[in-house]
Amino acid sequence: MIEKIRELLFKIFKKDSFIGKLIDKVFTKEIVTYIFFGVLTTVVNLATFYLFKQLFINIGWNGTLNAVISNGSEGLRKIVELFSEGSDYLDANLIAWVAGVIFAFVTNKLWVFESKSWKVSIAGKEFVGFMGARIFSLVVEMVLMFVLVTLLNLNEFIAKCICGILVVIINYVFSKLIIFKSKKGENS
């Protein structure tokens, strides 16, 4: 299907034109499937975030960070002022991240980068690399969420969407260049 769309686009734009060359580079099966499954991963992430955020509101949970800080020293208690509205959104974000990462690993491995091997030496290495990259992007996302929501008073859902754009870029670069970099004969 992607090839048919490419052919149609090349009928509209000459393949050697600037737009034709851009289509040839960007509109590949790998990038299209990454975007498709990235959108689905984002839906999993956002839906999980929303559900847990609503759950936390309904049960009166103010957040792990608030609980830890409120039981700490006076210096830590001053930090509570930053979280007067709660840190439950960070807890919901972490749970959403776990759901998204599990979904993304399977879809990226099987359909985006077509790494079909489940040999422990291959799949294990991919999983460890995938988790390392995702933990890095989680730290970036958590810090950015904190800055956007707590310090800049941006709506949590809007902040989550902004973070998502940056995270998608970071994750693609790590997945493409490091994690699922296939070597001939390795993925059989």
Side-chain angles (χ1 to χ4, degrees):
M1 183 168 136
I2 294 169
E3 239 357 271
K4 297 273 186 205
I5 295 171
R6 284 172 57 91
E7 288 173 21
L8 177 66
L9 289 171
F10 288 136
K11 286 181 182 176
I12 299 168
F13 304 101
K14 292 182 181 179
K15 196 169 185 175
D16 60 345
S17 70
F18 173 76
I19 294 176
K21 289 177 184 176
L22 188 62
I23 290 168
D24 196 36
K25 280 261 191 222
V26 175
F27 203 78
T28 64
K29 180 183 179 212
E30 182 179 283
I31 291 176
V32 170
T33 56
Y34 184 81
I35 291 169
F36 174 76
F37 286 113
V39 167
L40 290 180
T41 299
T42 301
V43 168
V44 168
N45 188 297
L46 290 173
T48 305
F49 177 78
Y50 177 79
L51 290 171
F52 276 90
K53 179 72 173 122
Q54 293 308 308
L55 173 68
F56 293 155
I57 288 170
N58 290 336
I59 66 171
W61 179 247
N62 207 20
T64 302
L65 192 56
N66 275 49
V68 169
I69 292 171
S70 64
N71 292 325
S73 68
E74 186 58 35
L76 289 176
R77 290 173 199 256
K78 291 182 181 184
I79 298 173
V80 169
E81 294 172 21
L82 289 174
F83 292 103
S84 59
E85 297 296 316
S87 64
D88 56 321
Y89 70 92
L90 292 174
D91 294 345
N93 191 55
L94 183 61
I95 295 166
W97 176 83
V98 170
V101 165
I102 292 167
F103 180 83
F105 177 74
V106 173
T107 58
N108 276 258
K109 178 171 178 51
L110 296 178
W111 294 295
V112 177
F113 299 104
E114 298 181 352
S115 176
K116 305 293 185 192
S117 176
W118 287 100
K119 291 179 188 173
V120 174
S121 62
I122 295 171
K125 182 179 176 184
E126 290 170 341
F127 186 73
V128 168
F130 194 84
M131 290 305 296
R134 290 314 198 261
I135 288 169
F136 173 76
S137 65
L138 171 66
V139 170
V140 170
E141 183 175 4
M142 294 295 273
V143 169
L144 194 54
M145 283 288 289
F146 172 76
V147 169
L148 294 174
V149 174
T150 303
L151 300 180
L152 299 178
N153 294 318
L154 191 64
N155 174 279
E156 294 163 353
F157 199 74
I158 292 171
K160 183 83 175 128
C161 291
I162 291 169
C163 290
I165 294 167
L166 180 61
V167 166
V168 164
I169 295 167
I170 291 169
N171 289 340
Y172 180 78
V173 169
F174 276 111
S175 291
K176 173 72 174 168
L177 300 179
I178 299 168
I179 301 160
F180 297 110
K181 184 172 66 173
S182 115
K183 295 177 180 80
K184 293 205 186 273
E186 189 174 89
N187 282 331
S188 14

